[in-house]
Every structure is written in structure tokens, then in C-alpha cells.
């Protein structure tokens, strides 16, 4: 059994190929079994949570991701999420590899975001605003490049240093990027807004979102987290990655609890979009919101893709010997 580290995942994973693989998987969701994820509270004082996410494709791959979410890690300069992914044969159960689950989550989250944007974002994206400057946010431009020609990527973070660091990284990768010093002003001019944070109070306000914009809420994944105000969620065309988002994401659980949002208000899921049951954006001035909490299907697809790419990649001299 091999260990596939974060560096190797970054080397072998093609973001556009991952978007394409997710499109195929969501278009035929019945080909995989995705049990409900397990949430376990680890430590109330640390606001820490353990998630266990299994999935399998009969005759192909079986995978389980274990993720620890420790939001207070940021105060120590550490990632808030740590994860591991065990990939096994679904024919025999034999373990094949352990992959860096944090890096895998980073890319599958960004790729699912881009997949949704292919159906929901305006055709012309002059400005793409990234809210947050962490691992997931940094992967967004590479994944979006496969579905839209983005003119300028702007980055807002709670710390100017964080935004500057990501901007420099994106410029080094060939993207046009700049810091957005004022969040609300940046929201007002953005064609696409991607929030990838662990915020517990709204960052994106309905009053700031211009007609025709697409809002991508991919960070907050527990009932205690919120990235957008209720006015946006209840006034826009609302899409989710999976129905579980209605019970797990604070952006949705709050309005549902208050009776101002109904489960029937969700226009479509990512499977509906990829499978052709819903066309996605219908008007140029339509404001669309995509709320995702992630699914083990994405992890399984990403892990299998990484493993296949790893096996096909030329071996270094050290590996060959």
C-alpha cells in the first residue's frame, strides 16, 4: 500500500480532468453508493468536529475519508482541516493507497464549484472575487479556467497579508489577480463570487450582489457557519450540490428554521444540472447561488483519478529502483 502525499497530488492531478470526471459522476449518481456522512463532536471548547465519509462504486473503488475540523488552528498558523483518505478495491477490499485527504478535499471542492459554475455563472466573467485566501480558495482559479475565461481574479481575506500572498501565488501561476481591499465594494462589481471560509456571520449581502451575478458558497459546511445573508439565499435562484446541504449548512438551516425558506425552494442539485434535468442559468439578470457542503462521491472520484494518474506518471530514478 502506498502513501500519496499532497505534493504528488498537486503534480499529477489535472484540474480540468477532475471537473470532467465529476460531471460524469454526477450525471450518473446511481453508479456509486454514498452513505450518509457521520458527524462527531470532538471538543466543544475547540469547536472541533470529526467527519467520516464513505463511498464506493461496485467493482471499482471503495473509499473512506476521515476529516478533523479544528477552526481554532488558524490562531496557531495551522490549517483548520486535516484529512486522510483510504482507497481500496471494491472487488476485494484490499487497501491500495492512503492519500492526503486535505489536498484531495481542496481540489474536489474547487472542481465541484467550477462544475456548478459551468451551468450557473454568466458566460462572460470579467471579475471573479475570491472571499478567503486558504487552500480551497487557491485552487479555484485553476479549476474555473476549464469552464470560463476569467478576466481578473480579486482576493479578499480577513488579513491583508493573506490576500497578498494568494495574489502573488496566482500571478506566479499566470492568472491576472489583485487584492480587493474593500469586501462590499468588490462584491458589487463581481460577476462571480466564491466564498471559501469558515465564517459564522454573513460576508455576502444580497444588497451588494449585482443582477446576473453567480454566488458560490463553498466554505461553511456546518449549521454554525454562514457566508451569506438570508436575503440573498431567499431571493436568488438556489442550487445545492446535494440535498444534505439543507440540513448541514448554516446558510440554509437558519432560513429553513425561520420559515422563510422551504426545501422546495431549491431549484436543482448538481446531479440535476450534470444529468440534464435542469438547464442551469435561465436569464442574463438571474442571480444564482450554489451552496455546497461536499459529498463523498467527489472524494471517491478525485482519489481514483489521482491514483490512475499516479500509476501512469513516469517513475523517478528513485522510484524505479
Amino acid at each position: 500500500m502506498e502513501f500519496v502525499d499532497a505534493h504528488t497530488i498537486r503534480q499529477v492531478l489535472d484540474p480540468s480532468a477532475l471537473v470532467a470526471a465529476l460531471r460524469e459522476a454526477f450525471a450518473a449518481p446511481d453508479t456509486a453508493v454514498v452513505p450518509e456522512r457521520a458527524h462527531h463532536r470532538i471538543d466543544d471548547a475547540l469547536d472541533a468536529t470529526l467527519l467520516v465519509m464513505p463511498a464506493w462504486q461496485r467493482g471499482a473503488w471503495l473509499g473512506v475519508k476521515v476529516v478533523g475540523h479544528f477552526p481554532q488552528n488558524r490562531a496557531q498558523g495551522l490549517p483548520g482541516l486535516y484529512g486522510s483518505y483510504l482507497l481500496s478495491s471494491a472487488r476485494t477490499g484490499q487497501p491500495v493507497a492512503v492519500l492526503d485527504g486535505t489536498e484531495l478535499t481542496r481540489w474536489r471542492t474547487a472542481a465541484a464549484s467550477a462544475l456548478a459554475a459551468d451551468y450557473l455563472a454568466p458566460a462572460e466573467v470579467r471579475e471573479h472575487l475570491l472571499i478567503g485566501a486558504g487552500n480551497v480558495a487557491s485552487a479555484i482559479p485553476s479549476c474555473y479556467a476549464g469552464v470560463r475565461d476569467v478576466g481578473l481574479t480579486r482576493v479578499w481575506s480577513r488579513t491583508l497579508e493573506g490576500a497578498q500572498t494568494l495574489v502573488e501565488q496566482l500571478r506566479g501561476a499566470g492568472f491576472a489577480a489583485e487584492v480587493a481591499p474593500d469586501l462590499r465594494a468588490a462584491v458589487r462589481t463581481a460577476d462571480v463570487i466564491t466564498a471559501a471560509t469558515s465564517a459564522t456571520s454573513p460576508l455576502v449581502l444580497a444588497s451588494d450582489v449585482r443582477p446576473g451575478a453567480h454566488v458560490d458558497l463553498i466554505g461553511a459546511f456546518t449549521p454554525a457557519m454562514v457566508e451569506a445573508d438570508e436575503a440573498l439565499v431567499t431571493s436568488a435562484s438556489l442550487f445545492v450540490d446535494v440535498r444534505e446541504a439543507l440540513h448541514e449548512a448554516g446558510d440554509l438551516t437558519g432560513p429553513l428554521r425561520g420559515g422563510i425558506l422551504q426545501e422546495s425552494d431549491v431549484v436543482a442539485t448538481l446531479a440535476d444540472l450534470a444529468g440534464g434535468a435542469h438547464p442551469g442559468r435561465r436569464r442574463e439578470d438571474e442571480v444564482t447561488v450554489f451552496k455546497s457542503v461536499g459529498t463523498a462521491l467527489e472524494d471517491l472520484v478525485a482519489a481514483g483519478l489521482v491514483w490512475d494518474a499516479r500509476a501512469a506518471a513516469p517513475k523517478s530514478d528513485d522510484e524505479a529502483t
Side-chain angles (χ1 to χ4, degrees):
M1 184 170 64
E2 293 191 27
F3 175 66
V4 183
D5 61 15
H7 174 71
T8 301
I9 292 174
R10 288 192 295 271
Q11 278 191 317
V12 304
L13 184 61
D14 178 346
S16 295
L18 179 55
V19 173
L22 289 180
R23 192 190 307 273
E24 182 178 345
F26 276 105
D30 292 341
T31 60
V33 179
V34 185
E36 184 176 351
R37 78 184 79 192
H39 289 256
H40 301 284
R41 195 70 171 170
I42 299 173
D43 189 326
D44 287 336
L46 296 175
D47 193 24
T49 307
L50 176 70
L51 292 87
V52 181
M53 302 172 62
W56 57 88
Q57 295 165 311
R58 292 184 181 91
W61 295 118
L62 162 67
V64 181
K65 186 171 76 173
V66 178
V67 178
H69 179 235
F70 289 76
Q72 295 192 25
N73 279 1
R74 290 190 297 273
Q76 306 174 55
L78 297 172
L81 288 170
Y82 282 104
S84 299
Y85 196 87
L86 175 62
L87 183 67
S88 303
S89 166
R91 297 184 183 89
T92 65
Q94 180 180 10
V96 172
V98 173
L99 296 90
D100 186 298
T102 307
E103 190 70 15
L104 200 69
T105 300
R106 173 195 183 204
W107 286 105
R108 63 81 148 150
T109 303
S113 167
L115 176 60
D118 198 25
Y119 299 100
L120 303 176
E124 183 180 5
V125 181
R126 293 159 298 183
E127 289 187 19
H128 185 178
L129 173 63
L130 299 183
I131 302 177
N135 280 338
V136 173
S138 66
I140 289 288
S142 294
C143 291
Y144 267 70
V147 300
R148 289 293 186 276
D149 291 324
V150 176
L152 175 66
T153 300
R154 307 187 74 201
V155 181
W156 180 89
S157 177
R158 292 192 184 278
T159 67
L160 180 59
E161 180 183 7
Q164 290 173 332
T165 298
L166 179 52
V167 164
E168 290 171 6
Q169 177 184 333
L170 293 177
R171 287 175 176 171
F175 296 101
E178 68 179 30
V179 172
D182 184 307
L183 174 59
R184 294 190 64 182
V187 169
R188 293 185 188 113
T189 62
D191 300 295
V192 174
I193 301 148
T194 295
T197 74
S198 297
T200 55
S201 58
L203 298 172
V204 185
L205 309 181
S207 58
D208 292 333
V209 177
R210 70 169 192 80
H214 173 54
V215 182
D216 186 28
L217 306 173
I218 64 174
F221 58 90
T222 74
M225 299 177 187
V226 176
E227 293 183 310
D229 66 356
E230 293 183 346
L232 177 61
V233 172
T234 56
S235 63
S237 297
L238 178 62
F239 298 80
V240 296
D241 57 345
V242 288
R243 286 279 169 182
E244 286 81 357
L246 288 160
H247 311 292
E248 297 182 2
D251 291 294
L252 306 183
T253 58
L256 283 167
R257 200 165 45 244
I260 60 174
L261 181 72
Q262 307 299 319
E263 293 195 10
S264 58
D265 290 330
V266 172
V267 177
T269 65
L270 201 46
D272 295 327
L273 294 170
H278 192 281
R281 173 174 290 271
R282 293 163 292 190
R283 305 184 314 275
E284 286 189 5
D285 64 347
E286 183 179 15
V287 174
T288 54
V289 169
F290 175 65
K291 177 58 208 170
S292 69
V293 292
T295 167
L297 175 62
E298 297 164 0
D299 297 309
L300 185 68
V301 170
L305 194 67
V306 167
W307 179 251
D308 289 343
R310 172 75 177 84
K315 297 291 188 293
S316 67
D317 290 341
D318 290 342
E319 292 173 311
T321 56

